[in-house]
Amino acid sequence: MVTDIQNVPAVPALTRKDFVPTCEVRWCPGCGDYAILSSLQRTFPELGVPRENFAIISGIGCSSRFPFYMDTYGFHTIHGRAPSVATGVKVANPDLSVWVITGDGDGLSIGGNHLLHLLRRNLNINVLLFNNRIYGLTKGQYSPTSPVGTKTKTSPTGSVENPLNPVLFALGAEATFVARTVDNNPKHMVETFKAAHEHQGISFVEIFQNCVIFNDSTWESIYGKENREDQMLFLEAGKPLLFGKDKSKGIRLNGLTPEIVDAATAAPGEILIHQPDHPSPLYSQLLATMGPEFPTPMGVIRKIEKPTYESLVAAQTDATVAKKGTGTWQELLQGDSTWTVA
Amino acid sequence: MTQPTHAFHEMKSVVVRFAGDSGDGMQIVGERFTDTSVTVPNSIATFPDFPAEIRAPVGTIGGVSAFQVHFGSNQVLTPGDEPDALVAMNPAALAVHLCDLAKGGLLVVNSAAFTEENLKMAGFATNPLDDPSLSEKYTLISLDITGLALESLKDTTLTNREKLRCKNFFALGFMYWVYSRPIEPTIDYINSKWAKKMPGLADANIRVLKAGYFLGETSETTRNRYMVARADVAPGVYRKISGNEATALGLIAASKRSGRDLFFAGYPITPATSVMETLNNYKHFGVKTLQVEDEIAAIGVAIGGSYAGKLGCTATSGPGMCLKGEFIGLAITTELPLVIVNVQRGGPSTGLPTKTEQSDLFQALYGRHGESPLPVVAANSPSDCFMAAFEAARIAIQYSTPVILLTDGYLANGSEPWLIPDESTLPDISRPFADESQPYVAFKRDPETLARTQAIPGQVGLEHRIGGIEKNEKGAISYDPENHSIMTGLRAAKVAGIAKSLPPLEVNGARKGKVLVIGWGGTYGAITSAVNSLHAEGFEVSCTHLRHLNPLPSDLGELIKGFDKILVPELNNGQLSLIIRANYLVDTISMNKIMGRPFKVSEIREHILKLITA
């Protein structure tokens, strides 16, 4: 679409401050949520969306307090059910930029079903899932993403549950945009949030988030200073999968099995090129399921284009109006068949 | 052709029940008989009664499906207590329904279906048609319906299976002759439905229909032929409408009168599903209908729609209501308009999913945690679901609150003629959103109604947060003990104050006397018929029927004081009765029935008579 710059109404540019409300933020000091909040407050002014068109919808949990800390329209709903409220908001008013804020418990345990269906329907909604692998608000019980053996007050001898991989879950639901970022890298968070916003369709972003009180340093083995270069694989579309100090290592495929190779000695074309838009979900699933000896993929893992749910709903309405005209009182009340008693 | 010589018996009203296997097309036949009778016109009411299983094994008791239609020249308010005529297409249908047939009633059976195997499945040791007492007690007409239907189709190219499927129209044609109904409306219906797509099938059904009709005319099968005169009904334009259709249309009408598009989300559940199915045909009325993943999501999506400025609505039945409880609490505390339709069925749990009950009143009033009052409205009859839905939406918007509309399976599936209202009689129920030129205070209240004003996403400068945690007037989270007490009180006072907007109670009979019958919901027809029949016999009794269960009408207490005895008939174990006792300290008399079936007029009559003569 060509925009006539002359005719664009002058909208005062928004700044981060426009999104900071007067109320006090009440997360624990040192919580990873602060960095996510600040990154989103930095992202929103850059999206070209009028402030009144943002709606932030959350469920219950530490992360779900988020709407109160953003000076936009916000709805703090009930545990696990934010996806359904967000669906209603978006279909009712597709002009809104709708953001669902959820956590590993809210989104994947009590609300797993709603999240599944939100993802598969492909509404143009952005879902930020704060994954701290613990229940924070209820004071430290294991969550559906806690590793086997996690010791908590409800699993004093260690959790026996197989943890859920949020990215794999989203890919399984065939979400059209799936990404991952970390709470200690504001620049990467802003980039990822912007990409999520730009994507027309459902955008699912898993954020590795630290719970300083109940699960401190849970992601340290991945994103700690000592480990991050070897343990994180920053993805860029069209670029080879390289990681490690000075990008010295790469990932290639041996059959359907990924292998780590020395980037310097790899043959040309041997190292996999990142293709988030590959039509088959297999490549993204392979990235999401690489074992512990591999680095964790960060950034946009999958991004494909499909029509959004709300646009299909609107198109059906338009088609019906085109065929039948706008409904009248007579049509509503009389229906197909009447009789008259004189 | 022999000229029909039979004399007509003139009847004021007749109840016909068609019963057969759930694959026998009894619902279609019942519907056709109804549609034909409304055009006479007769006053009419119907009661479809079908099994929960879509297709239970053929010929079994569990697979019996029935459709009862009551038509008359007088006022017909219920589908009738006991059928005057029963059509039984197989032994199982006879086994289930014969006990209801009036003594001397017309019994038409399909003798071909009385095979050894079918008799066994229906639990008959011997063929009841061979028992002479059957024709002593009833006017028995045993017809080889299957054979006659096949015979009339012998020169068609249909398969045997297709031919057999036409046999229900033979029974229908025969009953049209017995009750001197025109067959043309059914021919038109068959043509409009099948002539284009399946002309062979249309032709076959018409042939079989006519064969059934002509059998009556040409044979000496029965000398009994009945005539029900035109009903003296109010002039105007009518349509036939079922309860769930009326609910859907009432919601759309409310959407038009409020200026808010209807935003419906639902999950299929018997007997509420057809509300959602109906709404899906009204996209060009601005209606959005979303089928979502579960009952919880359905109300969540509707709340999202309301939050964004639409008229949010969901419909379900008892089990779904249980799942929606937490979200209803959220809608109460965030004070968002929302209509929740509960089409009640037999409970608890899966209970009797296709049968009717009024046992969710307590759930509607109290089925949430916390102090969480909300308005509850009930519909009286299938067509009344229209105004009840409109009223629920009026309260939801004017008072910015979720509202529960109670209907039931009996109303939902039953249908009756509806005198189509003039839309100008439907009031404007619009309410503006917040003024963008003023600072927004989320829980500032209208001094008259105590309703808050919504600001919706997209409104400039009114950004604010709402949610489940207790807020103060400004909309800020507040754990202040005083504030919680004040806000709880305000929410309750808002709901209680709705009583000020209600019209005075309508009373059938004197406003003072010995016996007052108080009803609510789908028992209206049975109670009114019972009271009217007693009035006709000179007895003094009054009745009133509650549209609003919360808040109760402010003149109910005064009305109760004028009577010695208060009878409360309900299809539950005395829920309204307990509420009236608690509110007015009166020793009500409960009359209860929990059988998945509506009251018979005679049951209520007898109870009232006992009280009058006591």
Side-chain angles (χ1 to χ4, degrees), chain A residues 65-96:
Chain A
R65 294 299 175 94
F66 209 93
F68 293 111
Y69 306 143
M70 294 288 289
D71 198 358
T72 63
Y73 283 95
F75 199 166
H76 181 220
T77 72
I78 58 175
H79 205 8
R81 321 298 174 197
S84 57
V85 175
T87 297
V89 171
K90 185 67 183 180
V91 178
N93 184 356
D95 293 339
L96 300 175

Side-chain angles (χ1 to χ4, degrees), chain A residues 14-21 41 45 51 71:
Chain A
L14 294 166
T15 67
R16 180 178 174 273
K17 276 188 185 163
D18 289 306
F19 294 95
V20 180
Q41 286 168 340
R51 192 176 65 154
D71 198 358

Side-chain angles (χ1 to χ4, degrees), chain A residues 52 72-73 121 331 339 341, chain B residues 236 238 284 293 458-459 465:
Chain A
E52 64 274 12
T72 63
Y73 283 95
R121 288 194 186 107
E331 183 190 351
W339 68 93
V341 175
Chain B
Y238 285 79
H284 54 311
E293 62 270 22
Q459 284 196 289
R465 273 64 59 193

Side-chain angles (χ1 to χ4, degrees), chain A residues 21-22 26 51-57 60 65 67-79 81-94 96 110 113-115 117-118 120-121 309-310 313-314 316-317 320-321 324-342, chain B residues 38-39 41 230 233-240 249 252-253 256-257 263 281-288 290-294 296-298 300-305 307-308 310 326-327 330 334 336 386 417-418 420-423 426 455-469 471 475 477 479:
Chain A
T22 51
R26 293 195 185 183
R51 192 176 65 154
E52 64 274 12
N53 278 3
F54 284 106
I56 303 182
I57 318 293
I60 295 292
R65 294 299 175 94
F68 293 111
Y69 306 143
M70 294 288 289
D71 198 358
T72 63
Y73 283 95
F75 199 166
H76 181 220
T77 72
I78 58 175
H79 205 8
R81 321 298 174 197
S84 57
V85 175
T87 297
V89 171
K90 185 67 183 180
V91 178
N93 184 356
L96 300 175
I110 192 167
N113 190 38
H114 305 303
L115 185 57
H117 292 279
L118 175 66
R120 82 174 167 91
R121 288 194 186 107
Y309 178 92
E310 65 273 18
V313 168
Q316 286 193 350
T317 299
T320 311
V321 172
K324 297 185 177 173
T326 305
T328 62
W329 276 110
Q330 188 182 342
E331 183 190 351
L332 179 70
L333 297 176
Q334 303 208 346
D336 298 333
S337 166
T338 60
W339 68 93
T340 304
V341 175
Chain B
V38 293
T39 59
R230 288 171 53 113
V233 293
V237 180
Y238 285 79
R239 70 183 284 185
K240 194 190 66 164
L249 299 193
I252 300 171
K256 284 175 82 77
R257 275 284 177 258
F263 195 86
N281 298 320
Y282 291 88
K283 290 185 169 67
H284 54 311
F285 286 76
V287 180
K288 288 211 167 76
L290 282 65
Q291 179 181 311
V292 295
E293 62 270 22
D294 62 26
I296 302 174
V301 170
I303 287 173
Y307 173 66
K310 310 294 181 190
E326 188 183 4
F327 253 135
L330 180 72
T334 53
L336 287 170
F386 179 87
W418 180 40
I420 297 169
D422 181 342
E423 69 265 20
L426 299 171
I456 60 170
Q459 284 196 289
V460 180
L462 308 185
E463 292 85 354
H464 67 287
R465 273 64 59 193
I466 58 170
I469 304 181
K471 309 280 188 309
I477 287 178
Y479 294 103

Side-chain angles (χ1 to χ4, degrees), chain B residues 404-451:
Chain B
I404 291 177
L405 167 63
L406 293 175
T407 72
D408 61 45
Y410 165 71
L411 300 181
N413 293 317
S415 56
E416 62 183 1
W418 180 40
L419 177 59
I420 297 169
D422 181 342
E423 69 265 20
S424 65
T425 60
L426 299 171
D428 179 350
I429 55 170
S430 65
R431 191 157 178 258
F433 296 115
D435 181 352
E436 287 183 11
S437 69
Q438 301 290 321
Y440 182 59
V441 181
F443 288 86
K444 193 175 162 196
R445 290 167 195 282
D446 179 303
E448 180 59 29
T449 62
L450 296 180

Side-chain angles (χ1 to χ4, degrees), chain B residues 474-489:
Chain B
K474 287 178 184 158
I477 287 178
S478 169
Y479 294 103
D480 175 48
E482 283 296 318
N483 177 69
H484 182 50
S485 176
I486 289 166
M487 292 299 273
T488 303

Side-chain angles (χ1 to χ4, degrees), chain B residues 175-242:
Chain B
M175 294 310 279
Y176 278 160
W177 180 80
V178 171
Y179 291 104
S180 34
R181 321 263 92 188
I183 61 170
E184 289 74 22
T186 304
I187 294 173
D188 292 345
Y189 167 84
I190 292 170
N191 279 328
S192 73
K193 189 132 188 180
W194 293 303
K196 265 193 200 154
K197 284 184 203 158
M198 292 178 279
L201 188 69
D203 174 60
N205 278 318
I206 291 169
R207 276 182 193 224
V208 172
L209 177 78
K210 285 182 174 171
Y213 190 88
F214 293 146
L215 178 84
E217 201 167 77
T218 56
S219 74
E220 290 294 313
T221 317
T222 176
R223 294 201 163 270
N224 296 319
R225 218 179 159 199
Y226 303 92
M227 175 75 111
V228 173
R230 288 171 53 113
D232 187 17
V233 293
V237 180
Y238 285 79
R239 70 183 284 185
K240 194 190 66 164
I241 200 160
S242 73

